[in-house]
């Protein structure tokens, strides 16, 4: 990935006709009702209930109570004129122990949700796995064992055959990076393990689960159904264009981005990354003959989540930095550069532009959808009940201009979904970090449009992003 000219800032930019707009959420972050209608426990229920794992001891037990308030939330989307909605399906609602037994009451919630979305003229974009693994499967090894991939494919087939008469767009996984690395290596996400080899095994089984699930769903799907995977990317930035810096960049980019993309679009793990992580001795042990063909079966589109870049510098060859990347050595991770968002993440819209252009070069012809992008800032509710979230508005406009730049440069980007519709349970940060374009008062469950939501509604209506 190379740095390019800064985005132009002075004119309105119109997106191509048919560009898809919407917002995104995920099940554990918004649904609540964690013990209602037969839902089984997930690894996030267990993790959040463990002292010290989540800021403020917050859990998703109630969250935005979307399980009960979904009609109101759909009405909000309608009011904002959002044509599409990306949400996730909670595996432990559908299969409380992750295998065999199907919980009809859990599936019925997604019937109600999908029917209400369609009724409101909003296209449902479900993701089958956004991190809430049934706890029973984790008790059996979770993603570190191959069987979980097979269980995931069974579950995907169940949901697909149930909702497939109404839903045509299907996403398997959200961000296997986070499930594998944050869940099994840095341990900041459920299940909170800290073992590099387990993380790399989990990575492979997640990708295999994606491949098997896609295969199972395609086998029973009509021709108009589309299948996708959502990956998160963080372009790696260096301060000097010399061989040592480029080498540090190569290593970090390999483990951060290419180890997820290459198996999917090329059918192979990148050789240089395999060499970098050979000392962990993990992937060789779990990759079986035929896996990569399954993982690389053609996708209909790729979901791209982007928030911020990663900065690195070279270090001594055996130096192990504090990072989320299992097996990384010889690289120094640099702190983000300001102005940061409220969660402390760097803001670099040009990296989104470069990323989308780079992805279109890596996978020519593959449609891309920005499935998540957004920012957390502290919000102040004025006495009149307004939220003037200037930081979030600016982030939105700057990143949309970067997306437009990528489209102008020929990137195959078909749409943009704002993260997130609602303030919600932001994983290890609990409710303190607010990513919503709609404010949620977690005491009263009152929803209030922020200025960013009003601006986004205008952008969507006009298919045009204003100057910064
Ligand atoms: C992404 C996750 C999403 C949300 C945003 C801020 O990594 O997919 O659930 O937490 O980050």
């Amino acid at each position: 990935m190379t740095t390019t000219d800064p985005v132009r800032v002075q004119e309105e930019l119109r997106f191509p006709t048919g560009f898809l707009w919407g917002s995104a959420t995920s099940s554990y972050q918004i649904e609540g009702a964690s013990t209602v209608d037969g839902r089984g426990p997930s690894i996030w229920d267990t993790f959040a209930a463990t002292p010290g794992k989540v800021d403020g001891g917050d859990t998703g037990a109630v969250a935005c109570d979307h399980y009960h308030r979904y009609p109101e939330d759909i009405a909000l989307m309608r009011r904002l004129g959002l044509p599409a909605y990306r949400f996730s399906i909670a595996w432990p609602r559908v299969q409380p122990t992750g295998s065999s037994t199907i919980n009809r009451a859990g599936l019925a919630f997604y019937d109600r949700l999908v029917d209400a979305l369609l009724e409101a003229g909003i296209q449902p974009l479900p993701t089958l796995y956004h991190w809430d693994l049934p706890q029973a499967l984790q008790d059996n090894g979770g993603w570190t064992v191959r069987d979980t991939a097979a269980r995931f494919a069974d579950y995907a087939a169940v949901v697909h055959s149930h909702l497939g008469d109404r839903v045509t767009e299907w996403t398997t996984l959200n961000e296997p990076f986070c499930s594998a690395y944050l869940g099994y290596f840095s341990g900041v996400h459920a299940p909170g393990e800290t073992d590099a080899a387990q993380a790399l095994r989990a990575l492979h089984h997640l990708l295999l689960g994606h491949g098997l699930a896609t295969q199972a769903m395609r086998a029973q799907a009509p021709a108009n159904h589309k299948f996708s995977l959502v990956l998160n990317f963080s372009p790696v930035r260096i301060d000097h264009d010399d061989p040592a810096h480029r080498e540090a960049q190569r290593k970090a980019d390999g483990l951060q981005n290419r180890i997820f993309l290459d198996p999917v679009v090329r059918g192979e793990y990148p050789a240089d990354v395999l060499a970098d992580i050979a000392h962990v001795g993990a992937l060789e042990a779990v990759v079986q003959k035929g896996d990569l063909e399954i993982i690389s079966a053609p996708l209909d589109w790729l979901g791209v989540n982007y928030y911020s870049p990663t900065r690195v510098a070279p270090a001594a060859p055996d130096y192990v930095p504090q990072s989320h990347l299992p097996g990384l050595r010889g690289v120094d991770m640099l702190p983000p550069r300001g102005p940061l968002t409220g969660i402390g993440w760097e803001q670099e819209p040009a990296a989104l532009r470069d990323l989308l252009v780079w992805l279109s070069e890596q996978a020519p012809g593959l449609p891309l959808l920005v499935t998540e992008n957004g920012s957390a800032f502290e919000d102040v509710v004025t006495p009149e009940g307004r939220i003037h979230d200037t930081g979030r508005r600016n982030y939105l406009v700057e990143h949309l201009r970067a997306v437009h730049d990528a489209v102008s440069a020929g990137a195959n980007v078909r749409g943009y979904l704002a993260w997130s519709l609602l303030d919600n349970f932001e994983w290890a940060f609990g409710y303190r970090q607010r990513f919503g374009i709609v404010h949620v008062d977690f005491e009263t469950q009152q929803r209030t449009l922020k200025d960013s939501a009003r601006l986004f509604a205008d952008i969507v209506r006009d298919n045009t992003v204003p100057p910064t």
Side-chain angles (χ1 to χ4, degrees):
M1 288 177 235
T2 49
T3 313
T4 52
D5 296 332
V7 285
R8 281 162 292 136
V9 289
Q10 294 310 332
E11 25 166 342
E12 275 196 352
L13 301 174
R14 176 173 291 278
F15 282 85
T17 307
F19 196 78
L20 185 68
W21 296 100
S23 67
T25 64
S26 87
S27 48
Y28 190 73
Q29 294 182 276
I30 64 164
E31 285 179 0
S34 62
T35 55
V36 171
D37 291 340
R39 178 185 177 279
S42 78
I43 55 174
W44 269 95
D45 297 283
T46 310
F47 189 75
T50 310
K53 297 296 188 193
V54 175
D55 257 24
D58 293 344
T59 76
V62 178
C64 306
D65 193 29
H66 175 77
Y67 191 81
H68 299 111
R69 292 169 196 264
Y70 70 91
E72 184 188 343
D73 295 335
I74 291 172
L76 274 173
M77 290 180 229
R78 197 170 182 176
R79 179 166 163 208
L80 293 171
L82 303 181
Y85 176 50
R86 173 173 179 247
F87 59 97
S88 78
I89 293 175
W91 188 349
R93 282 198 197 284
V94 177
Q95 290 183 309
T97 59
S99 40
S100 47
T101 316
I102 296 166
N103 176 34
R104 295 283 153 198
L107 275 175
F109 168 65
Y110 297 106
D111 277 329
R112 296 194 290 278
L113 179 65
V114 163
D115 290 347
L117 285 166
L118 293 173
E119 175 77 34
I122 298 168
Q123 185 176 20
L125 303 174
T127 296
L128 288 159
Y129 184 72
H130 199 126
W131 311 350
D132 37 8
L133 185 73
Q135 180 61 43
L137 292 183
Q138 179 56 33
D139 296 342
N140 194 37
W143 289 107
T144 70
V145 299
R146 192 175 174 92
D147 185 58
T148 300
R151 298 281 70 77
F152 179 63
D154 288 351
Y155 151 72
V158 166
V159 178
H160 177 265
S161 54
H162 191 79
L163 296 175
D165 57 336
R166 287 152 287 165
V167 172
T168 57
E169 303 286 333
W170 293 89
T171 298
T172 54
L173 307 176
N174 178 68
E175 301 189 355
F177 172 101
C178 294
S179 302
Y181 291 2
L182 308 190
Y184 293 92
F185 176 60
S186 61
V188 298
H189 278 189
E193 304 291 335
T194 51
D195 182 311
Q198 301 285 34
L200 292 169
R201 281 184 203 126
L203 177 161
H204 182 66
H205 294 140
L206 281 151
L207 292 180
L208 181 63
H210 153 73
L212 291 172
T214 306
Q215 200 173 60
M217 292 190 287
R218 267 209 210 276
Q220 63 188 23
N224 66 333
H225 282 200
K226 298 213 168 94
F227 296 94
S228 59
L229 167 70
V230 167
L231 297 176
N232 58 308
F233 297 93
S234 179
V236 179
R237 300 307 208 200
I238 48 177
D239 286 325
H240 303 285
D241 192 16
D242 59 32
H245 280 80
R246 283 199 298 272
E247 174 65 356
Q249 182 183 45
R250 180 196 64 70
K251 286 182 182 169
D253 177 51
L255 271 167
Q256 170 82 43
N257 303 308
R258 291 183 289 116
I259 198 173
F260 293 93
L261 183 69
D262 284 18
V264 174
V265 302
R266 285 193 226 288
E268 60 190 19
Y269 285 107
D272 63 311
V273 184
L274 288 180
D276 290 343
I277 58 174
H279 66 100
V280 182
L283 275 187
E284 305 78 340
V286 293
V287 179
Q288 294 183 10
K289 200 163 172 289
D291 286 1
L292 283 151
E293 284 74 57
I294 294 169
I295 291 169
S296 61
L299 293 175
D300 295 306
W301 50 271
L302 178 69
V304 180
N305 292 358
Y306 168 78
Y307 290 91
S308 60
T310 297
R311 293 191 175 274
V312 302
D318 54 356
Y319 174 73
V320 178
Q322 266 259 324
S323 91
H324 298 300
L325 307 178
L328 183 66
R329 294 190 303 195
V331 175
D332 203 6
M333 309 298 291
L334 303 183
R337 300 203 183 144
L340 308 180
T341 65
I343 199 169
W345 296 354
E346 181 164 340
Q347 308 187 55
E348 206 208 348
L352 176 55
R353 181 237 187 249
D354 295 347
L355 168 64
L356 294 167
V357 170
W358 176 77
L359 283 169
S360 278
E361 289 161 6
Q362 296 299 303
L366 180 64
L368 306 174
L369 181 63
V370 178
T371 33
E372 283 183 33
N373 174 243
S375 57
F377 286 98
E378 232 170 83
D379 291 320
V380 177
V381 186
T382 67
E384 300 76 42
R386 301 295 295 253
I387 296 121
H388 303 305
D389 57 338
T390 316
R392 194 176 289 101
R393 274 181 58 121
N394 292 343
Y395 183 100
L396 177 66
V397 169
E398 285 167 10
H399 285 76
L400 279 173
R401 295 184 71 87
V403 173
H404 189 279
D405 255 31
V407 173
S408 303
N412 195 0
V413 188
R414 304 295 180 84
Y416 176 98
L417 310 178
W419 184 271
S420 179
L421 177 68
L422 302 170
D423 290 335
N424 59 47
F425 176 79
E426 180 44 42
W427 309 112
F429 297 96
Y431 296 100
R432 238 172 17 96
Q433 297 296 340
R434 293 177 175 271
F435 275 92
I437 56 173
V438 176
H439 183 270
V440 177
D441 179 328
F442 292 104
E443 298 293 315
T444 62
Q445 292 294 347
Q446 193 187 331
R447 276 79 161 136
T448 309
L449 300 187
K450 302 180 191 177
D451 285 359
S452 57
R454 296 171 196 279
L455 174 69
F456 192 49
D458 292 347
I459 291 172
V460 171
R461 184 197 58 217
D462 299 342
N463 203 29
T464 297
V465 58
T468 50

